[in-house]
Amino acid sequence: MTAMAGTEHAKALLPDIKFSPDSYTPRQIGEQADLLKAAQDGLQSQVETPAPDARQALRDGLVDQFTRLGYEPSTAETYADAFSSLLHNANVRMEDPTYADQWKLSFSRPIEGEAAMTPVDRVLARLKAAGVEGDGATMFQGEVPKGVHFKSLRPDQQAQVTHSIENEIEAWHQNPESFFSAYDAHPETHGGQLVNGDIVYSMIPTVSKDLFLGHTAGESIDIGKLSFLNSLRKLQAERAIDRAGDKPVVITAGGQASGKTSMAEYLLKKGEAGAVIDAPHDRAKDIEDILKMAKNVHKDADVYFVVRPDLKASEISNIKRAMREGRYVEPEWRGDTTAKVPGEILKVAEAHRNDPRVGIKVLVNRENATPEIYGGK
């Protein structure tokens, strides 16, 4: 039907008339609509009120903590965003949705009388409590509290920090012996026999006074100055290899937060290594460069691929470092490195198949257990 007469009789029949064979009558359409609405109402009544977002709840709690500790609102928001994101990423990877109940973070500043201090005095008190006095405490003139992220500083403050770091690197470059002496004396280097780029960077005086600020400033340091640091690290590696005695030179390789440095210390303490060159070493060329150094002074060398099966422990280590130094390595990046290293080590193994002075080993780093070592010469 395409048209109807406008009579009262026609109007009465209208609710029950189909305008095409496949269509519904107006009455049927109304009934379907009523059924659909009833179904929707029934489903809605069965849906529970959504639980508050755990990540948002954690963030709000952190904002409150940092605010009560005296941080400016913008800084409190920045810190809360960073830490809640880190914990969210960690627990998503652990497939555990209850992380807001598990991570009981508490931030405190146990400085007597701080609440009554002026802002400048409060900052200086924090610096002094952290062991930063003299030039370190006056360098920022009370404007930059300890633990602030580099990117949250004003441009003039950022320039002050980078200038200080770059000048200190330049001083080492001009007088390498001062660097070698300091590195050998550092408590984490075992007399200079554990060579690690993170330790080298952390030794820069401005960085050592505030690891969080110093490490978050790293991306803004002049690339030429950073190349000086890399050169010093290589020279220190040569020194360590030369002093390795009759113990093999160990080259660690593996993903970030796999425990390479802890395992390096373990091997040194056990007398299994005379020197350890510690880094991810995700390129065969980098490993070959160190093997060449060892061969030049007639030393044996072992390449250790360090594996940490417990992903949760690895992520917790990564988060702790991020909270301490502001450096968080995304799981995807760590996964890529971990996946890439074995292939690069196989290239080295193939190249030294018949070399009795080169060993390829796998070290399994398990929590609260003696490391398992496989492989040999």
Side-chain angles (χ1 to χ4, degrees):
M1 178 179 290
T2 59
M4 288 183 62
T7 64
E8 292 299 321
H9 180 70
K11 289 180 181 180
L13 294 176
L14 180 60
D16 298 303
I17 294 176
K18 289 186 177 182
F19 288 85
S20 70
D22 298 325
S23 68
Y24 289 99
T25 67
R27 190 188 304 280
Q28 289 173 323
I29 292 174
E31 292 171 349
Q32 292 292 327
D34 291 340
L35 289 173
L36 179 59
K37 185 176 186 304
Q40 287 177 325
D41 291 342
L43 288 173
Q44 187 65 35
S45 66
Q46 300 176 33
V47 176
E48 297 180 358
T49 303
D53 181 64
R55 180 177 178 178
Q56 184 64 39
L58 178 61
R59 178 191 178 280
D60 292 345
L62 293 176
V63 169
D64 180 62
Q65 282 198 56
F66 285 124
T67 300
R68 285 187 284 105
L69 289 171
Y71 286 98
E72 293 296 326
S74 59
T75 302
E77 295 271 350
T78 299
Y79 281 11
D81 285 338
F83 290 128
S84 61
S85 294
L86 291 176
L87 297 174
H88 174 75
N89 290 341
N91 285 273
V92 166
R93 185 166 178 81
M94 296 173 207
E95 298 181 354
D96 187 343
T98 62
Y99 68 93
D101 297 326
Q102 294 185 13
W103 297 92
K104 304 298 183 183
L105 296 184
S106 178
F107 297 87
S108 61
R109 287 197 183 128
I111 299 176
E112 186 176 355
E114 184 183 41
M117 297 179 184
T118 66
V120 171
D121 287 339
R122 185 162 60 242
V123 169
L124 292 175
R126 293 173 196 159
L127 289 170
K128 184 176 181 180
V132 182
E133 300 186 50
D135 292 340
T138 59
M139 180 179 72
F140 302 118
Q141 300 177 345
E143 296 179 355
V144 182
K146 184 176 175 63
V148 169
H149 195 290
F150 178 78
K151 291 183 178 179
S152 71
L153 302 181
R154 299 192 312 263
D156 61 306
Q157 294 173 324
Q158 293 183 358
Q160 196 171 3
V161 173
T162 55
H163 182 70
S164 178
I165 292 175
E166 290 169 1
N167 281 351
E168 290 160 354
I169 295 174
E170 177 65 30
W172 276 346
H173 180 62
Q174 296 296 328
N175 183 13
E177 288 302 322
S178 66
F179 165 76
F180 298 141
S181 176
Y183 194 88
D184 289 351
H186 194 286
E188 296 179 13
T189 67
H190 293 261
Q193 294 309 100
L194 194 166
V195 182
N196 176 288
D198 289 341
I199 295 177
V200 171
Y201 186 81
S202 297
M203 283 175 50
I204 299 170
T206 296
V207 178
S208 68
K209 292 169 184 173
D210 189 337
L211 289 177
F212 193 91
L213 174 62
H215 278 284
T216 55
E219 294 181 358
S220 301
I221 304 303
D222 177 73
I223 190 67
K225 303 298 183 183
L226 291 178
S227 70
F228 292 161
L229 277 187
N230 192 45
S231 297
L232 289 169
R233 181 186 61 80
K234 288 183 178 179
L235 289 172
Q236 181 64 33
E238 291 179 354
R239 295 175 74 247
I241 290 171
D242 191 51
R243 301 181 304 191
D246 59 354
K247 303 293 184 182
V249 174
V250 165
I251 304 166
T252 62
Q256 296 85 351
S258 60
K260 295 184 299 299
T261 304
S262 296
M263 294 302 99
E265 293 176 347
Y266 169 82
L267 293 171
L268 284 166
K269 290 177 181 177
K270 293 286 289 183
E272 300 293 331
V276 180
I277 315 304
D278 178 37
H281 290 129
D282 58 355
R283 296 192 309 167
K285 179 184 180 303
D286 295 337
I287 298 174
E288 290 287 2
D289 288 344
I290 300 169
L291 290 176
K292 184 177 180 180
M293 291 183 196
K295 286 187 175 182
N296 286 342
V297 291
H298 311 290
K299 303 289 185 182
D300 289 0
D302 291 329
V303 180
Y304 278 78
F305 176 38
V306 180
V307 181
R308 192 174 195 175
D310 190 336
L311 294 179
K312 182 174 182 178
S314 177
E315 187 66 13
I316 290 173
S317 294
N318 198 30
I319 290 172
K320 287 181 177 178
R321 182 172 65 181
M323 297 176 73
R324 183 177 66 250
E325 303 175 2
R327 298 184 299 145
Y328 178 75
V329 183
E330 294 292 343
E332 292 79 7
W333 188 1
R334 281 183 288 136
D336 288 345
T337 303
T338 302
K340 182 180 178 183
V341 168
E344 298 299 297
I345 291 179
L346 286 175
K347 294 178 185 177
V348 175
E350 181 63 27
H352 298 273
R353 176 192 296 270
N354 299 315
D355 189 342
R357 308 201 72 166
V358 176
I360 306 294
K361 301 183 179 183
V362 175
L363 188 155
V364 181
N365 175 20
R366 298 189 188 279
E367 307 310 303
N368 303 315
T370 301
E372 303 165 21
I373 300 174
Y374 304 93
K377 295 295 182 185

